[in-house]
Amino acid sequence: MTIKATGDGRADGTGDGKRRWRVSAAVGLAAVLTGGGIVALKATGSPAPGDSAPAASVASHTGPLTSKETREASRIAVGAATGQRPTHRGGQKNTQDENTHDENTKGGSAKGTEGGEKNAAGGSGAEVLDTRRPPRAKSTAAPAPDSEAEVQLYDYASDSLITRLVDLRSGKVVRSTRQHGVQPPPTLAEVRQAVKVILADRRLGDGMRASYRAETKKRLTSPSQLRVQGMSFLGTRAKGVKGAEQVSRCGTHRCVQLFVRVPGGKWIDTSRIVIDLSAGRTAVIGL
């Protein structure tokens, strides 16, 4: 089951079936579609890490992470790129360098990250996608320690999906792996960044603002003014479609499509727009 990010905070577990209600294609952003109620979804990613904080108080349980544990796990995982070397349990150094894929990692070698990991907005630190308790290994009856959390991040500097196992008590990374060509559903932060990319496009941005003003009589200045739902986009989906060459790197790059609605109003048609978050640009396909 996949959960897709939207702009206001409730969870949806309809998965791939959500594609069935995709907005029908229309030419130009000025066209808007009437629609029924939108199910607002919770972002798949964890809350963005804030300033450094003391280690989380670890609950004695193996259930879902508390909000405090989630924030601390995200902080540790993002901060690992600043120079902290991953360690195994017991304090031994991890002989597996993060840029070397372990046996379960898909894809080729990682691009260099000399400039540091980046998030969707280009800021320092990879984008946190998800934080959870690590799954129990099938080969053992013993669960993972209560103090461990698994954090999934996307590094825009290397276009790679990172999974880091962190220890909340020690504040250290236990294990870190990196994958390429794997694109989980976008987070709310990524979806809103995609709206910013559209608004920065002279042609498409003007169209979106005009559609919003026609519906509300107000100016559109921020993605938070919209209800937005996003899904990952792979270039293979555009095979045979006009403009497919513009999105051929999607899959290697992190690309999304959006479904945008004015709160309490109509849909703004973005069904032909693909936003390449890795490159910070848009493409219009199928015209």
Side-chain angles (χ1 to χ4, degrees):
M1 178 175 72
T2 37
I3 302 196
K4 305 191 172 58
T6 82
D8 66 332
R10 288 173 290 170
D12 174 35
T14 53
D16 292 336
K18 185 61 68 177
R19 297 175 187 167
R20 292 193 291 269
W21 59 265
R22 284 189 58 183
V23 181
S24 59
V27 178
L29 274 168
V32 292
L33 305 176
T34 58
I38 183 172
V39 179
L41 312 180
K42 183 179 180 181
T44 53
S46 306
D51 296 333
S52 297
S57 176
V58 180
S60 180
H61 61 75
T62 56
L65 294 168
T66 66
S67 58
K68 189 173 183 180
E69 289 172 329
T70 295
R71 289 192 298 270
E72 178 66 3
S74 298
R75 185 187 69 81
I76 296 168
V78 172
T82 61
Q84 176 180 297
R85 187 171 179 80
T87 60
H88 284 306
R89 297 187 191 97
Q92 290 184 323
K93 286 186 177 181
N94 188 350
T95 57
Q96 172 73 45
D97 184 83
E98 188 178 306
N99 286 329
T100 303
H101 294 241
D102 67 19
E103 60 184 1
N104 296 316
T105 304
K106 301 175 183 178
S109 59
K111 293 192 298 183
T113 56
E114 292 81 1
E117 294 171 358
K118 300 294 183 183
N119 58 31
S124 178
E127 189 79 41
V128 177
L129 304 184
D130 190 35
T131 306
R132 62 175 184 170
R133 293 249 180 237
R136 177 183 295 182
K138 293 182 179 179
S139 59
T140 177
D146 288 351
S147 63
E148 289 187 352
E150 186 177 270
V151 185
Q152 196 174 68
L153 313 98
Y154 195 86
D155 174 26
Y156 280 86
S158 62
D159 273 309
S160 57
L161 179 69
I162 305 168
T163 302
R164 287 185 175 135
L165 184 67
V166 305
D167 187 287
L168 296 170
R169 287 196 176 96
S170 68
K172 294 182 178 180
V173 174
V174 176
R175 184 174 63 251
S176 183
T177 59
R178 194 180 287 264
Q179 301 169 277
H180 290 271
V182 181
Q183 300 295 344
T187 65
L188 176 57
E190 289 176 305
V191 164
R192 287 183 170 174
Q193 181 61 28
V195 174
K196 290 181 180 179
V197 174
I198 291 178
L199 291 175
D201 183 284
R202 184 173 180 179
R203 179 170 59 95
L204 299 178
D206 286 350
M208 180 172 279
R209 292 185 187 91
S211 294
Y212 185 86
R213 181 180 287 276
E215 182 68 17
T216 66
K217 311 304 180 187
K218 298 177 182 178
R219 292 180 58 209
L220 175 61
T221 59
S222 168
S224 63
Q225 294 172 257
L226 301 166
R227 286 192 178 180
V228 189
Q229 182 173 353
M231 62 182 289
S232 298
F233 180 87
L234 303 179
T236 52
R237 294 179 188 164
K239 186 176 181 180
V241 173
K242 186 175 180 180
E245 68 282 355
Q246 300 179 73
V247 295
S248 61
R249 299 197 69 185
C250 291
T252 300
H253 280 190
R254 186 128 170 93
C255 301
V256 299
Q257 279 188 302
L258 301 178
F259 306 102
V260 183
R261 187 183 180 189
V262 177
K266 298 179 179 181
W267 296 93
I268 297 176
D269 180 36
T270 57
S271 59
R272 297 179 185 270
I273 300 173
V274 176
I275 303 94
D276 184 336
L277 289 172
S278 298
R281 61 179 179 82
T282 61
V284 180
I285 61 174
L287 293 177

